[in-house]
Amino acid sequence: MTLNLRPLAALCVALSLCALLAVPGNFAGLGADARLTLAVFALATCAWIATPVDDTYIALGAGLALTVTGVISSDTLFGTLGDSTVWLLICAFVLAAAVTRTGLAGRAAAFLVGGARTVRQLVHLTTAALVVTAFAVPATSGRAALALPVFLALAKALADRRRLVVMLALLFPTVILLSAVATLIGAGAHLITVSVLWQATGDRIGFTEWLLLGLPLAVVSSHLAAETVLLTTTRRTDREGAVHITPEQIQEHSDDPVTGPWSQAEKRCALLLGTVVVLWCSEPLHRVPPAVVALIGAVVAASPALGTVHLKDALRTVPWALLLFMAATMAMGVALADSGAAQWLVGGLPSGVSPLLFLVVVVVISTAAHLVLQSRSARSSVLVPLVVAAAVGAGVNPVAAALASTAAAGFCHTLPASAKPVTLFSDLPGTPTYTPRDLLRLSAVLAPLTAALVLLFALAVWPLLGVPL
């Protein structure tokens, strides 16, 4: 029997840190609350890294420990569940359930992919369609589940061109993960970042601001990644042949019509989704918070007269474990900031570090963090509070630093277990798909490209959009 030493090593590291923090003479200037916070933070991080225990359970335990010890109040712990970003995500999932129920995704896929005549056109039209889904379905795992039937239809249509099928299997999760940065609801990590920034600096990033900063990066990175997947997975002979995907082939994997006249439910749902997205994007004009807009949309989507889904069915699709995880990690972020632990952690950093060097270090660490912390939300929970505190000390705009860290942490393609979409598309019975070697080959090229692109946006594009470094 092989002994797994990783959990044991992580436990030893965490307990050693806790023992050092327990000695009053160590770490001068560190208060009791800060010591408790760092001990809990170290134990939670090591548990996330090295144990099979559910991430949400660990986060709830950490939040409870901070509350029982008096570092944060019970109102702070429970109040995070009432945060507007949590409500935004709940309502967005209700809207997504309504869209899924009507079959609009199949129609969109048939419309876009059916126009492809070459392999490169198919790749980039598929990429464009997957980027758009970030506005309709929150969370990358939900988008992957929605896109899976479309991929299976494409795989069947291209069954005689195995290398193209493998390429598409790799393309779908790659674009889904990188395009999540387009919207605030694209990943739970985004909501954690917004909450940490609000608590630490008072800067609030709304849906419109995130869209303005994230959508260009999502579009460029997704199409760059698509081209990278195409070139690293296929040969020139694979790319030269014509392709033709018919609506009938997509219909075989859809329970709802993908062609023909639209039903009344489809029309209502499309109109509702379009209205909600427009209201989100025009928040500066009407000043209605995105969470309120989402709640209105969810109520309409589940209404008996105009809705397309029953509320109880829609609520079953909400990832309640993710919401509890977000709430608990928000409370941990409050403890890190209010206790002075975050400021103490970054106080020992060398002074005089240039903003460029600081940003490079943040992006490199965030890009590589998925090798240690597989949960995207956990990565933001650990990294963003420290990045924000360190940015203030280094003279860097904390908003730019937090956004760069969150965007870079969206890269998680190295291993099949690095992200749920990668896991989902890596094991499809009866359908050719990629191997761990394919992922490593892609990551060797895509990781530095993604990091360089995030740096380019932080240094040259975001300053033009109102977020200087």
Side-chain angles (χ1 to χ4, degrees):
M1 183 176 66
T2 302
L3 179 63
N4 187 358
L5 297 179
R6 185 178 180 185
L8 183 61
L11 179 62
C12 290
V13 171
L15 291 179
S16 298
L17 289 173
C18 292
L20 289 173
L21 290 167
V23 178
N26 292 336
F27 313 117
L30 197 60
D33 284 354
R35 290 174 184 271
L36 284 169
T37 300
L38 290 176
V40 171
F41 195 75
L43 287 169
T45 301
C46 289
W48 281 329
I49 292 173
T51 69
V53 181
D54 185 80
D55 291 343
T56 301
Y57 187 84
I58 295 169
L60 288 173
L64 181 61
L66 292 169
T67 304
V68 171
T69 55
V71 177
I72 58 175
S73 66
S74 59
D75 289 341
T76 299
L77 176 64
F78 298 130
T80 54
L81 274 174
D83 191 272
S84 61
T85 54
V86 173
W87 278 92
L88 173 62
L89 196 59
I90 292 173
C91 297
F93 270 99
V94 173
L95 286 168
V99 172
T100 303
R101 180 65 62 89
T102 60
L104 283 175
R107 284 190 181 272
F111 174 75
L112 286 171
V113 177
R117 293 296 176 265
T118 67
V119 173
R120 183 163 271 109
Q121 284 181 355
L122 175 64
V123 166
H124 287 283
L125 284 174
T126 301
T127 299
L130 291 172
V131 172
V132 172
T133 61
F135 294 90
V137 182
T140 54
S141 56
R143 293 167 62 203
L146 183 69
L148 183 59
V150 177
F151 164 73
L152 292 175
L154 295 177
K156 186 173 182 180
L158 299 170
D160 58 336
R161 303 170 72 175
R162 185 181 187 280
R163 205 179 297 273
L164 289 187
V165 176
V166 173
M167 180 271 296
L168 287 173
L170 197 52
L171 175 72
F172 272 73
T174 297
V175 174
I176 287 171
L177 290 167
L178 292 180
S179 62
V181 75
T183 71
L184 182 60
I185 62 173
H190 302 169
L191 304 179
I192 292 173
T193 297
V194 169
S195 175
V196 170
L197 277 171
W198 169 249
Q199 293 162 358
T201 67
D203 293 319
R204 170 75 78 176
I205 300 180
F207 187 93
T208 306
E209 290 82 4
W210 191 288
L211 182 70
L212 181 65
L213 299 168
L215 181 58
L217 175 60
V219 172
V220 175
S221 63
S222 295
H223 284 280
L224 178 64
E227 197 65 27
T228 304
V229 170
L230 180 63
L231 295 177
T232 58
T233 312
T234 62
R235 300 170 181 169
R236 179 174 295 180
T237 53
D238 299 319
R239 300 189 291 270
E240 287 177 349
V243 296
H244 180 58
I245 310 297
T246 64
E248 288 74 21
Q249 291 170 322
I250 296 179
Q251 181 67 72
E252 292 178 5
H253 292 268
S254 175
D255 296 330
D256 303 291
V258 299
T259 57
W262 286 36
S263 67
Q264 290 299 318
E266 288 175 322
K267 292 178 182 178
R268 291 198 306 270
C269 189
L271 178 61
L272 175 61
L273 181 62
T275 302
V276 168
V277 172
V278 169
L279 289 175
W280 276 340
C281 297
S282 58
E283 179 192 355
L285 298 178
H286 53 71
R287 300 294 180 183
V288 179
V292 175
V293 172
L295 181 57
I296 295 172
V299 169
V300 174
S303 65
L306 301 175
T308 59
V309 65
H310 293 296
L311 183 59
K312 63 179 181 180
D313 295 331
L315 290 177
R316 290 193 187 103
T317 68
V318 177
W320 297 106
L322 172 62
L323 297 177
L324 290 173
F325 178 88
M326 286 172 49
T329 52
M330 286 177 189
M332 292 173 64
V334 172
L336 277 172
D338 292 352
S339 68
Q343 289 76 7
W344 182 86
L345 278 174
V346 301
L349 294 177
S351 58
V353 176
S354 69
L356 176 59
L357 178 59
F358 175 84
L359 191 65
V360 169
V361 172
V362 166
V363 169
V364 169
I365 292 176
S366 300
T367 302
H370 71 282
L371 298 173
V372 179
L373 281 168
Q374 295 180 348
S375 167
R376 191 172 188 163
S377 297
R379 292 198 294 276
S380 288
S381 302
V382 172
L383 291 173
V384 174
L386 302 180
V387 167
V388 170
V392 174
V396 176
N397 183 355
V399 176
L403 285 173
S405 174
T406 304
F411 176 85
C412 37
H413 303 65
T414 306
L415 302 170
S418 294
K420 291 178 182 177
V422 180
T423 304
L424 178 64
F425 280 85
S426 67
D427 185 16
L428 299 172
T431 303
T433 186
Y434 47 84
T435 64
R437 185 177 179 181
D438 295 324
L439 283 174
L440 290 174
R441 183 170 58 246
L442 173 64
S443 296
V445 179
L446 192 57
L449 281 178
T450 303
L453 189 62
V454 172
L455 286 171
L456 175 64
F457 268 74
L459 294 170
V461 179
W462 290 344
L464 301 177
L465 301 175
V467 182
L469 183 60

